[in-house]
Amino acid sequence: DQQVKQNSPSLSVQEGRISILNCDYTNSMFDYFLWYKKYPAEGPTFLISISSIKDKNEDGRFTVFLNKSAKHLSLHIVPSQPGDSAVYFCAAGVENAGKSTFGDGTTLTVKP
Amino acid sequence: DTGVSQNPRHKITKRGQNVTFRCDPISEHNRLYWYRQTLGQGPEFLTYFQNEAQLEKSRLLSDRFSAERPKGSFSTLEIQRTEQGDSAMYLCASSLWQTGVAYEQYFGPGTRLTVT
């Protein structure tokens, strides 16, 4: 059973508009969540994280929202830029454990 | 520090052969992770170390897979008697972990394994 799901394999937005990437999880033990970005031929790179004690975390153009009751988080990118085009992975974990559990990713394309 | 490095970047091997991959983490990081990624999927956890101790192995990891981190620095992942289903990208990541605080993982570029 996949514990972290990204139901949209792809998303296309116009430059300057908002990109919203979604992620659902099933394991209520998860207490921190992360978003990673991946370009071709590179490993994932960390983007932003949020602890389960918060419902929002913001870093520049990137904001992550967490809805614990719905077991849902989303990543907002405003404004979107062509350089944001990449695969975005949602990940979740338990703070005192080691591993992160990843979703299958959403490919974001930002059109100029 | 140049980040996490992995060698080789690509490996082609014949079914039944053994292969070994190396990962050099960021020097001050005490945790090291191995993941496997196949096309269209996210990274799948294999195992992780805290310093030299292997703390968790995925139950999906067969006994053909073994990992070491002998001095708490670099790590090796060996696959014995490779099978075509082992073809994947093998990712290494490292992180700094302190009690009660989780930090993001830094990934290397991966080793792409092709088993023919």
Side-chain angles (χ1 to χ4, degrees):
Chain A
D1 180 34
Q2 197 166 13
Q3 298 186 56
V4 178
K5 293 183 180 180
Q6 295 177 253
N7 290 317
S8 297
S10 63
L11 175 68
S12 182
V13 300
Q14 206 66 35
E15 180 179 7
R17 306 294 291 268
I18 184 172
S19 295
I20 300 176
L21 296 96
N22 294 302
C23 178
D24 297 295
Y25 63 96
T26 57
N27 188 341
S28 57
M29 296 296 292
F30 289 145
D31 54 14
Y32 74 91
F33 305 88
L34 313 97
W35 284 94
Y36 289 85
K37 179 170 69 174
K38 185 182 183 304
Y39 294 119
E42 295 182 8
T45 56
F46 171 73
L47 198 54
I48 192 170
S49 64
I50 188 167
S51 166
S52 61
I53 62 173
K54 296 184 175 181
D55 55 17
K56 177 182 174 181
N57 189 28
E58 196 171 351
D59 184 2
R61 298 185 298 114
F62 302 90
T63 303
V64 56
F65 295 92
L66 175 62
N67 182 333
K68 288 187 292 292
S69 61
K71 293 191 175 66
H72 177 84
L73 63 155
S74 61
L75 174 68
H76 293 209
I77 307 174
V78 183
S80 301
Q81 300 174 352
D84 295 330
S85 297
V87 179
Y88 288 78
F89 291 102
C90 170
V94 178
E95 271 195 7
N96 287 323
K99 66 182 181 183
S100 290
T101 301
F102 284 78
D104 286 340
T106 296
T107 300
L108 173 65
T109 303
V110 181
K111 298 180 178 180
Chain B
D1 197 339
T2 56
V4 179
S5 62
Q6 293 187 245
N7 288 289
R9 293 291 306 274
H10 304 273
K11 179 70 177 179
I12 299 174
T13 191
K14 293 185 177 180
R15 184 166 53 94
Q17 298 294 306
N18 300 344
V19 294
T20 300
F21 310 140
R22 177 180 170 124
C23 171
D24 288 272
I26 293 172
S27 57
E28 62 267 28
H29 285 181
N30 52 4
R31 284 195 169 178
L32 185 148
Y33 311 80
W34 286 99
Y35 291 87
R36 177 172 62 192
Q37 185 178 18
T38 54
L39 194 63
Q41 296 191 335
E44 175 187 34
F45 171 77
L46 294 178
T47 187
Y48 88 95
F49 295 82
Q50 181 160 313
N51 300 313
E52 65 275 9
Q54 189 173 20
L55 295 189
E56 187 177 352
K57 288 175 62 174
S58 168
R59 56 187 169 84
L60 302 175
L61 202 65
S62 81
D63 56 8
R64 296 184 297 106
F65 288 71
S66 62
E68 293 183 343
R69 194 183 183 198
K71 296 182 180 179
S73 57
F74 74 92
S75 175
T76 58
L77 176 69
E78 180 182 18
I79 309 174
Q80 296 183 328
R81 306 180 304 280
T82 53
E83 302 172 355
Q84 288 188 321
D86 297 331
S87 295
M89 177 72 83
Y90 289 83
L91 293 165
C92 175
S94 68
S95 73
L96 176 63
W97 183 86
Q98 298 172 342
T99 303
V101 181
Y103 293 90
E104 65 273 15
Q105 297 175 19
Y106 291 78
F107 283 82
T111 295
R112 181 167 296 283
L113 173 66
T114 302
V115 182
T116 62

